[in-house]
């Protein structure tokens, strides 16, 4: 089994200089640790709690920044799309396009994504069981795209809380697609602040270890040099200066998990 | 308090003749019972499990059918929209436009809906707590529309199951907007069939009684003359020949609920 | 169908004079409204959060108080038991003995209760589905007692919250035993205070209406003249001076529910 | 940090010879791997679904078997108690006595256990949040016993399903007591068979890896030479011939977890 791929970056693009700073940190750490890396950032946060929440630089300006990061760092790009018309232009820059969790059942978006030929990262919605992801894989395949990944990011557990069901990793791996773990958003407490989601970034190491112990294809991670002042999802963001410490542990768990056999239990 | 309004019709438009048959039944029964009625049908099911699932006649053909029902029966229309560009044309026919539960946090769609000036029915997503609906109301108001309704349709309870939290009605009523109950979709078991949602239409009377006991502004209901052969959500649909029996009970519970005072408990 | 029976009283016996005051209020109101009444109070709270929480007067003193209420008011008694040795002495005073929710699967206790010949009220545990109650009914029957009732009191919904699944009433009614609704404990938020459960007594009317709309055999209710100073579960207790207002509504919903037919939906 | 302790054995004592066979396998494997081992078996299953389910040899006969295992293998013993009167006799044989999850809030039982002076293993109930375990620790301490362990075994997730919240381990570790993981019962699907719990023993490796990645004090495990014919909880039991393969992986994850630092994330 291959080592894990890091889909690592930041939540929303704030400024180009900040994106460059974040990307530079990821490049340093991943080179040092030998972890394959894809840069992640969003150009638009399309479902913020408030109309006045910061949404990002938008499609055109966002793709420009992503293109410069791609070229400057020689790194593949992953970003998310929210409506069919965005898919083609985004896929000119992004190597992997991501289907957001809330939108994971929107047929037109799935179809438009599939037609780009890009790799598609499908976030498992907080309201879906692992076995239901088979339907979304089928939709993509019917639309002619078989370069698919599934991404765990937690399930609703009562109100305003998420829980990661460890058994979901195995159920999705059995669908024969790469399975990755969005440890950042799995730390969310949706709707738990008066105007936005809360999060538990202090516990990222715990959740990350559990995920990597499953022998998965990739890790999805968002960092920020100053999480308390991040423009979106700061409560879930890893402080950028913890990147090396965190990833070195993820690597160790990944290596151990993949060095050991599965057990054949009837 | 006013009597409840029925947002009653069918899931997806199948044929014009079937839509007319369904509308005629609703008209007969609501006239007989004196229930204000708005006809509901979808022109497109945008998030079916499979690419090959029936989606409906589409925007143009669907709006034609809805316009003919509106004129033929003299009934207001409610239907759902899925992307910003649909809002303006839909609002030319529909008096109430509906924000789907999965999309209830998509800012661009909310804004486009708000700008039509139509009444907006906001479905509470299966992954949101009642108190989070205040954010969506605010988004609409910030976008200039204050003709808003909230609609309960159940909350995720583990995998593949929904539960209706009766206390959510009161929490949403406290937001000073009309609150309605989608008793049909609250009967869903999401993902519980191999290729689609299952449902519990046999229990519609139980859930309907509980909802109407709360003194709410409206009831959302889908019926079908032959639920086992409906093209979408048949397991949740009320058999059309049960419409009068069902609605007469809903009316009795609504009248009782609204004839009694609230208690002021500290 | 018969009118509902009220299993009404208080949480834990505090003083005999308070118990008498509470019982007198129930007697006044139930006579006035014509509601059959069984007095409820606990002699021991066996699972409080802290060792120092008030537990009650204990078995001997508690049964004395209950016996005096039984005789003084001519009212049947319901109380709960927590270990096998309590069953026989309790059944000498109590007409109905109650199996606590947390203990609902303890075989020895179930058997000892069954052997008393008293009517048994089985609380559905917060961790059981309605269909699992069939096993507990069978245990009681195998132990020779078929005078059984089932009692809904909410299901765990994430951490520190309960939700009442309205559909559970019908599933338990289909087991051909009387089904009652503990509206008081269904209002709990378990573990939500630093040292005890919180509750939502302000919402008792909403939950009570939904329950009575189902046409059930009985209502379980705890009241207190001063809920903020009650020794246990005050956050869930109905203020005693609201008893008449509350029960008159419950009666109206019960009468309506039982005056209407079920629908035969395939 | 110390290596993990294995609380390993079988669900219920079936026959003495089977118990000896199981204990011998554990002894072989734990000696070979250098894992400290405490033998676990129950003398009575006090909350089976049916009155006719096998309960075990009972207190007297059960303690005899456990005493012979203790002496024969030179191994400490853990077993569970269900009522106050069992605590003293059980503690004469058992080094660790276990508070069952369903009974974890029963004050009299907690107090009787505390007074024995034995180490107490407190199972976190399926209906409690991690933070609520502090109350139960306090109860034990108030009763004079501070040799306490907490045991994770999953949380109710909808009906008939459990989920392990990885973050609960850290929350309980912060209470400064040893935290162990009952990977066997966390695999249960409560009430999912017509007459008993179902289980997912095929997935024990996945759940075990996630638990051991948290750096915990111990692992609780039940095995059986023939799970399909085990008298209780066979669907969750590890096949005895997989013991070495399974434990060697648990050891590797434990060693890795404890060799790495925590991160100090603000």
């Amino acid at each position: 089994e291959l080592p894990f791929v890091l889909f690592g970056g930041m939540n929303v693009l704030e400024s180009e200089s900040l994106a460059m700073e974040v990307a530079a940190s990821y490049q340093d750490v991943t080179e040092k640790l030998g972890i394959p890396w894809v840069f992640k950032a969003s150009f638009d946060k399309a479902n913020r709690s408030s109309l006045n929440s910061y949404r990002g630089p938008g499609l055109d300006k966002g793709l420009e920044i992503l293109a410069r990061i791609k070229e400057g760092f020689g790194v593949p790009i992953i970003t998310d799309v929210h409506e069919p018309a965005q898919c083609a232009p985004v896929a000119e820059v992004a190597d992997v396009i991501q289907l957001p969790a809330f939108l994971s059942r929107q047929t037109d978006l799935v179809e438009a994504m599939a037609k780009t030929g890009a790799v598609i990262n499908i976030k498992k919605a907080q309201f879906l069981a692992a076995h239901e992801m088979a339907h979304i894989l089928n939709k993509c395949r019917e639309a002619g795209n078989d370069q698919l990944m599934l991404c765990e990011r937690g399930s609703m557990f009562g109100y305003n809380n998420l829980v990661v069901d460890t058994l979901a990793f195995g159920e999705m791996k059995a669908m024969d697609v790469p399975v990755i773990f969005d440890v950042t958003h799995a730390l969310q407490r949706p709707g738990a602040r008066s105007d936005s989601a809360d999060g538990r970034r202090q516990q990222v190491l715990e959740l990350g270890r559990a995920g990597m112990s499953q022998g998965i294809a990739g890790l999805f991670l968002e960092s920020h040099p100053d999480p308390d002042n991040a423009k979106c999802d700061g409560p879930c963001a890893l402080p950028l200066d913890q990147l090396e410490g965190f990833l070195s542990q993820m690597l160790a768990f990944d290596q151990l998990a993949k060095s050991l056999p599965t057990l054949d239990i009837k």
Side-chain angles (χ1 to χ4, degrees), chain A residues 24-213:
Chain A
S25 288
Y26 276 96
Q27 190 180 50
D28 283 353
V29 172
T30 56
E31 273 189 16
K32 187 167 172 185
L33 298 175
I35 298 173
W37 168 53
V38 178
F39 180 76
K40 186 269 157 183
S42 295
F43 57 82
D44 182 28
K45 305 304 291 182
N47 59 14
R48 299 297 306 268
S49 294
S50 163
L51 208 60
N52 300 315
S53 304
Y54 177 73
R55 287 185 55 164
L59 181 70
D60 295 340
K61 175 73 180 142
L63 288 181
E64 278 174 35
I65 299 174
L66 292 174
R68 278 197 283 272
I69 289 173
K70 182 174 186 163
E71 191 179 311
F73 293 92
V75 62
I77 299 290
I78 178 173
T79 194
D80 46 334
V81 292
H82 312 89
E83 45 184 79
Q86 295 173 334
C87 297
V90 168
E92 286 177 31
V93 174
D95 305 86
V96 185
I97 55 178
Q98 178 170 293
L99 179 60
F102 288 157
L103 304 181
S104 58
R105 293 187 48 175
Q106 301 308 121
T107 303
D108 290 337
L109 182 57
V110 167
E111 240 181 323
M113 292 176 76
K115 287 180 178 156
T116 64
V119 176
I120 300 177
N121 180 34
I122 303 167
K123 289 258 189 117
K124 177 160 76 63
Q126 303 90 324
F127 49 85
L128 292 179
H131 69 86
E132 297 178 77
M133 300 310 289
H135 300 312
I136 303 177
L137 293 175
N138 284 342
K139 267 193 195 176
C140 291
R141 288 175 183 140
E142 287 165 1
N145 191 325
D146 198 19
Q147 299 189 80
L148 307 170
M149 313 192 304
L150 292 176
C151 180
E152 171 63 35
R153 48 93 81 239
S155 298
M156 287 308 304
F157 184 59
Y159 296 129
N160 306 122
N161 198 11
L162 293 176
V163 68
V164 174
D165 183 350
T166 296
L167 300 180
F169 291 105
E171 288 171 51
M172 292 194 287
K173 286 166 69 178
M175 296 174 194
D176 283 323
V177 293
V179 172
I180 71 172
F181 179 31
D182 176 354
V183 68
T184 297
H185 291 94
L187 292 164
Q188 273 187 333
R189 284 196 182 275
R193 292 191 163 187
S194 67
D195 62 348
S196 61
D198 202 352
R200 299 169 280 198
R201 64 177 181 250
Q202 297 79 5
Q203 295 171 289
V204 65
L205 185 62
E206 298 158 46
L207 218 44
R209 285 176 169 199
M212 300 318 285
S213 76

Side-chain angles (χ1 to χ4, degrees), chain A residues 9-20:
Chain A
M10 60 198 307
N11 191 283
V12 63
L13 288 167
E14 300 186 9
S15 68
E16 181 162 347
S17 62
L18 182 67
M20 292 292 167

